Amino acid sequence: MIAEFGLAALWLAAALAGLQLLAGALGLTRGGAALGAIVRPVAIVQGLLALIAFVALIVLFCQTDLSVKLVAMNSHSAKPLIYKFAGTWGNHEGSMLLWVTVMGLAGSFVALVERRLPEPTMLATLAGQAFVSLGFYAFLLLSSNPFERMPQVPTEGQGLNPLLQDMGLAFHPPTLYVGYVGLSIAFSFAIGALITREVGPAFARAMRPWVLGAWIFLTLGITAGSYWAYYELGWGGWWFWDPVENASLMPWLAATALLHSVSVLAARNALRAWTIMLGVVAFSMSMVGTFLVRSGILTSVHAFAVDPERGSFILVLLAIYIGGALTLFAVRAGSVSEGERFAPVSREGALVFNNVMLSAVLGIVLFGTLYPLVAEAMGAKVSVGPPYFNPMSALFVVPMLLVMAVGPLLRWRRDGFARVRAILVIPALLVVLAAIGVAAWGGIGVLPFIGLTLAGGLAVASLLPLRGRSLRRTPLATWGMVVAHLGVAVALFGMASESAFSVEKLVAARVGDTTAVGPWQITLKRVRPVAGPNWTALEADLDASYDGGKATAVHPQARFFWSPPQPTSESALLTRWNGQLYAVLGEEADDGRWQLRLWWKPFVTMIWFGGLMIGLGGLLALLGRVASDLKRYVARGKIAYRRERQGR
Amino acid sequence: MKRLLILLLMIFAAPAFAQDTMPPAPYAYRQLDNPAQEEKAQALMETLRCLKCQSQSIADSDAPMAGDMRSQVRERIAAGEDPEAIRAWLVERYGDYVSYAPRVTALTWPLFILPVVLLVLASLLLSRRFRRGGTE
């Protein structure tokens, strides 16, 4: 019953998306103004219906209703409730339903609160949002129905991949999806503005909070995903340039560029076409990412050919939306002038430079991710991994970071380096000192070396915009920028430190043995069996003492899930302010010794602290912008009200 | 001092233990005793694909085949072989797919042209933008 209810809600939502598109389009014509009035309410109800469908699926998963095929294939009655719940989106159909739900709700949210866009642009935007939604509803209903029933109800479900049975999974994908799909708003805004040709500071100010919001979620989602991979996969790697990781990084790169260019547009009425272009590209990258992850093409081009229906479906959607948007851009961009001019050495100049650098990194990541597919289609299998991505992206990231240190200090329109040279002495000196220090330490790779030396200077430089300001009167948005840029320096430091100073120790230890890892002494106390709701495990009791200090107990586990049968290793982490101890229990050797994998990773946590700070910076900026927008809105309302009264 | 003793004992004891159990891949989960060699091996392993996994390097995988390959890499490094020679040997055996560091070939050259193209594009874009901007 619930399944049918959910399916009905989904069909209704799809039908309303059709209506929204139609009414929005007709509303733009001369005779259809009346129809335009229903677009907002329709958009709101459409999002709610999608949410109802999604909630129905959650209920089915929580009840473990095995008559529903998706539940039977991906869940199990013995799973803890939280993973039944989170398992809703741990599979293809469920995650696509989450996708359209977020898309629908994003449209509802815009329809509900956005009052600054001119009405025609608003109609075109909501119609664009509905147009994109419609394709994904069709995809879900025609080729990935999450509510399909089983002809025969099985006695037990097949369970969820144990790697995904983790709190990280409960929150990482939804966060990422809100970011991913939230970018659809920027896309629809760009389409709307292209249709009505209304691109200017007012449009940018309306668009900015939406971009910021999506970008915050994307940042947090990527950070959480990186941490999940770090502790759950059991080898301490936090980024591998894996296609799935790249799929989330590409929209982030585009959104970061968009975020900065929309600020230029809002403040200076410049970079009009470029901003619109980035709005289109950012969400296009989200869709490309979805295609890569959801089509099965990543395992192999041939796997794609075996079950081509879903992949081809998304590919057609991509062609329609990205192709369509780019065509519209090509046709209309000429009539959207680039706007105000500025000198190379100016705030805008620095922002443009970094926009171009970010786009170049995006180009590298996109090309490097897709190239193995191209090569395989031509008959050869190649791999493109960290040895390619690291240096190639650094080529553009390093100049970008340098400009990032200077940019916020420059004035709009026109400035000279002479003015900021004196201020930059401190960070520059720090970079030099760090370089000498790190070089003296020795034995460090080129990239970690650059990272370590830049990080300190960057941290100081990112604080410089606060110099000479009254801290209490500094606008929130400025604080946001400072915190986010500082976050970049912090994350960079973490990354460089992890790759330069990590100590790894693989040992076969008897009970009672002590091993040294960096400053740590690790003693294996015992290994004992433990059991969970749907797994059994061997758990090691390790005593870890730092630099001869008091011992702390850590408990890595080698788990064996029995549905589906799969071993996983649950790493144990011990966090100090200056890094993390990472312990993994391996197999037992014939002679009674246990394999232990131990790492000491100095300052590794800075990677994710940095990520959080970047997100927090975004949040501060968002709050600052929304507050000042509200203030302006209220003030304008008061003036209008007063005028009206005087008029009478 | 005691700590050092234990450490030394462990270092010297390890090979003796390894001999009486002798698994097929002795260095799958054992590091080389020479830290410089181990570091070399680690750097190489991080850039070799585990062929049985979905995008993991052999340095990050519990798959038996990854273990075998790790052992191979460590043994060859210990025997004094050059990391790139080992990579070439693996590529010959398993194809280009095994290496995360693509070689420049007739098929992969666009990957290496790309940064140059991007640099040219970027400087074109910037110079056009700024020339127009500068002459206001």
Side-chain angles (χ1 to χ4, degrees):
Chain A
M1 191 47 211
I2 297 174
E4 283 67 35
F5 181 72
L7 188 59
L10 199 57
W11 273 105
L12 263 179
L16 282 188
L19 179 62
Q20 185 181 335
L21 170 62
L22 207 67
L26 289 176
L28 286 174
T29 60
R30 215 165 281 151
L35 261 176
I38 67 163
V39 171
R40 275 182 197 254
V42 167
I44 294 169
V45 178
Q46 187 237 113
L48 288 180
L49 281 168
L51 180 65
I52 288 172
F54 185 59
V55 170
L57 191 65
I58 291 179
V59 171
L60 291 172
F61 265 88
C62 288
Q63 292 178 343
T64 319
D65 185 340
L66 295 170
S67 68
V68 175
K69 192 175 167 196
L70 190 66
V71 178
M73 301 293 281
N74 295 291
S75 196
H76 192 281
S77 59
K79 228 169 31 166
L81 184 63
I82 177 74
Y83 299 131
K84 287 180 183 170
F85 170 73
T88 311
W89 51 82
N91 54 73
H92 170 78
E93 287 83 353
S95 72
M96 285 317 291
L97 181 57
L98 176 61
W99 164 283
V100 297
T101 304
V102 174
M103 180 113 198
L105 286 177
S108 305
F109 199 28
V110 172
L112 206 58
V113 303
E114 183 58 62
R115 298 284 168 211
R116 289 162 300 184
L117 274 189
E119 200 55 28
T121 309
M122 186 70 198
L123 286 183
T125 299
L126 285 178
Q129 187 84 3
F131 185 45
V132 179
S133 283
L134 207 53
F136 285 90
Y137 280 127
F139 175 61
L140 206 55
L141 289 166
L142 302 180
S143 84
S144 318
N145 177 10
F147 295 107
E148 198 180 329
R149 294 275 192 187
M150 292 288 260
Q152 269 184 330
V153 181
T155 49
E156 192 45 277
Q158 296 185 6
L160 173 71
N161 181 349
L163 283 178
L164 302 182
Q165 296 192 29
D166 177 86
M167 284 312 283
L169 175 83
F171 302 105
H172 160 59
T175 315
L176 204 55
Y177 268 34
V178 171
Y180 244 46
V181 185
L183 286 176
S184 65
I185 302 179
F187 181 87
S188 302
F189 267 57
I191 300 297
L194 279 175
I195 289 174
T196 60
R197 291 193 180 88
E198 301 221 31
V199 186
F203 167 78
R205 273 196 290 275
M207 184 177 183
R208 179 162 54 188
W210 299 104
V211 178
L212 258 172
W215 180 83
I216 293 166
F217 277 98
L218 212 47
T219 308
L220 296 180
I222 294 173
T223 307
S226 158
Y227 193 62
W228 174 80
Y230 168 75
Y231 75 76
E232 181 69 18
L233 299 184
W235 290 87
W238 50 272
W239 191 265
F240 194 62
W241 297 101
D242 169 289
V244 178
E245 293 170 337
N246 291 351
S248 66
L249 182 64
M250 291 189 287
W252 186 85
L253 289 168
T256 309
L258 172 60
L259 188 61
H260 290 87
S261 94
V262 85
S263 288
V264 175
L265 181 55
R268 294 277 308 134
N269 196 12
L271 300 184
R272 292 177 177 175
W274 178 253
T275 304
I276 296 296
M277 177 74 185
L278 283 175
V280 169
V281 167
F283 183 60
S284 298
M285 288 300 126
S286 296
M287 289 194 281
V288 168
T290 306
F291 167 71
L292 285 177
V293 177
R294 287 287 143 227
S295 65
I297 202 169
L298 286 179
T299 5
S300 161
V301 174
H302 305 301
F304 176 68
V306 171
D307 179 19
E309 191 194 349
R310 285 176 177 171
S312 316
F313 205 125
I314 308 186
L315 202 56
V316 169
L317 290 182
L318 282 188
I320 294 175
Y321 295 136
I322 302 179
L326 289 180
T327 310
L328 183 64
F329 180 80
V331 171
R332 285 288 167 91
S335 61
V336 180
S337 79
E338 255 307 292
E340 297 290 321
R341 305 284 169 83
F342 48 84
V345 181
S346 64
R347 179 84 65 89
E348 298 99 311
L351 283 164
V352 165
F353 182 84
N354 277 1
N355 253 274
V356 171
M357 291 298 117
L358 278 168
S359 309
V361 178
L362 175 59
I364 296 273
V365 179
L366 181 64
F367 203 71
T369 308
L370 294 182
Y371 204 77
L373 302 177
V374 176
E376 199 185 340
M378 292 194 294
K381 289 190 88 168
V382 294
S383 298
V384 180
Y388 177 80
F389 287 112
N390 283 337
M392 295 297 180
S393 53
L395 202 59
F396 300 98
V397 169
V398 172
M400 180 180 84
L401 292 176
L402 290 174
V403 172
M404 189 188 97
V406 185
L409 303 171
L410 295 173
R411 292 196 182 120
W412 293 107
R413 285 199 68 199
R414 180 180 290 278
D415 203 343
F417 276 121
R419 200 179 61 80
V420 292
R421 202 160 41 198
I423 318 166
L424 285 170
V425 166
I426 307 167
L429 217 72
L430 252 170
V431 170
V432 173
L433 280 179
I436 295 169
V438 177
W441 182 286
I444 288 169
V446 180
L447 289 181
F449 178 85
I450 296 175
L452 283 171
T453 48
L454 271 185
L458 217 73
V460 175
S462 66
L463 293 172
L464 287 178
L466 294 175
R467 185 189 44 101
R469 275 178 184 266
S470 151
L471 290 189
R472 276 179 40 209
R473 289 173 58 191
T474 303
L476 260 187
T478 307
W479 273 111
M481 175 192 74
V482 168
V483 171
H485 285 182
L486 185 59
V488 173
V490 169
L492 180 70
F493 173 64
M495 295 171 193
S497 168
E498 196 271 343
S499 58
F501 304 123
S502 280
V503 186
E504 182 185 42
K505 198 87 186 190
L506 310 178
V507 289
R510 280 182 203 289
V511 171
D513 281 357
T514 300
T515 313
V517 194
W520 292 88
Q521 295 289 329
I522 315 290
T523 310
L524 177 62
K525 288 293 208 198
R526 60 172 175 164
V527 178
R528 61 195 168 93
V530 289
N534 54 347
W535 47 265
T536 53
L538 290 169
E539 184 175 283
D541 289 350
L542 301 176
D543 267 357
S545 90
Y546 183 83
D547 214 9
K550 211 173 131 260
T552 316
V554 283
H555 307 283
Q557 288 179 349
R559 270 190 201 172
F560 190 82
F561 283 80
W562 34 264
S563 178
Q566 185 176 334
T568 70
S569 47
E570 296 291 309
S571 54
L573 297 172
L574 194 56
T575 309
R576 278 174 57 88
W577 65 273
N578 62 346
Q580 250 174 355
L581 177 75
Y582 189 114
V584 176
L585 175 66
E587 287 176 12
E588 186 182 15
D590 299 332
D591 58 358
R593 292 184 303 168
W594 293 89
Q595 271 169 19
L596 290 177
R597 299 204 293 268
L598 306 164
W599 284 272
W600 166 236
K601 291 171 177 288
F603 297 106
V604 66
T605 42
M606 292 300 144
I607 298 171
W608 308 291
F609 272 126
L612 286 180
M613 283 174 74
I614 298 172
L616 176 69
L619 185 65
L620 289 178
L622 179 63
L623 290 177
R625 298 297 182 200
V626 170
S628 69
D629 281 349
L630 275 181
K631 218 180 279 171
R632 202 173 302 152
Y633 184 72
V634 170
R636 203 174 298 152
K638 273 186 190 150
I639 293 170
Y641 176 70
R642 215 171 292 152
R643 269 204 202 122
E644 203 176 306
R645 278 211 330 202
Q646 282 167 352
R648 267 179 208 162
Chain B
M1 189 58 217
K2 197 170 154 199
R3 219 181 287 163
L4 188 73
L5 205 71
I6 294 172
L7 203 77
L8 282 175
L9 267 176
M10 279 174 47
I11 289 169
F12 290 113
F17 278 129
Q19 264 166 10
D20 52 55
T21 52
M22 209 54 186
Y27 283 97
Y29 289 96
R30 236 190 81 207
Q31 290 165 302
L32 294 172
D33 295 334
N34 178 337
Q37 284 186 335
E38 171 64 23
E39 198 175 320
K40 253 195 219 170
Q42 186 67 26
L44 177 60
M45 290 185 304
E46 275 167 16
T47 64
L48 293 173
R49 184 191 276 271
C50 161
L51 297 170
K52 289 281 168 64
C53 324
Q54 193 166 349
S55 27
Q56 274 174 316
S57 76
I58 61 168
D60 295 340
S61 170
D62 277 313
M65 188 185 180
D68 290 346
M69 284 169 72
R70 279 200 298 274
S71 195
Q72 280 283 351
V73 166
R74 286 200 174 106
E75 282 165 54
R76 280 164 182 266
I77 292 271
E81 246 182 86
D82 180 63
E84 286 315 301
I86 302 172
R87 186 197 302 283
W89 173 73
L90 282 167
V91 164
E92 200 186 312
R93 215 171 143 182
Y94 298 109
D96 275 320
Y97 192 58
V98 78
S99 167
Y100 274 115
R103 293 182 302 164
V104 185
T105 65
L107 187 71
T108 61
W109 61 267
L111 278 171
F112 297 90
I113 296 296
L114 177 72
V116 182
V117 172
L118 287 174
L119 273 177
V120 171
L121 268 180
S123 44
L124 262 179
L125 212 74
L126 288 173
S127 74
R128 246 190 73 210
R129 164 105 240 136
F130 290 141
R131 199 167 337 114
R132 266 195 300 170
T135 56
E136 61 176 330

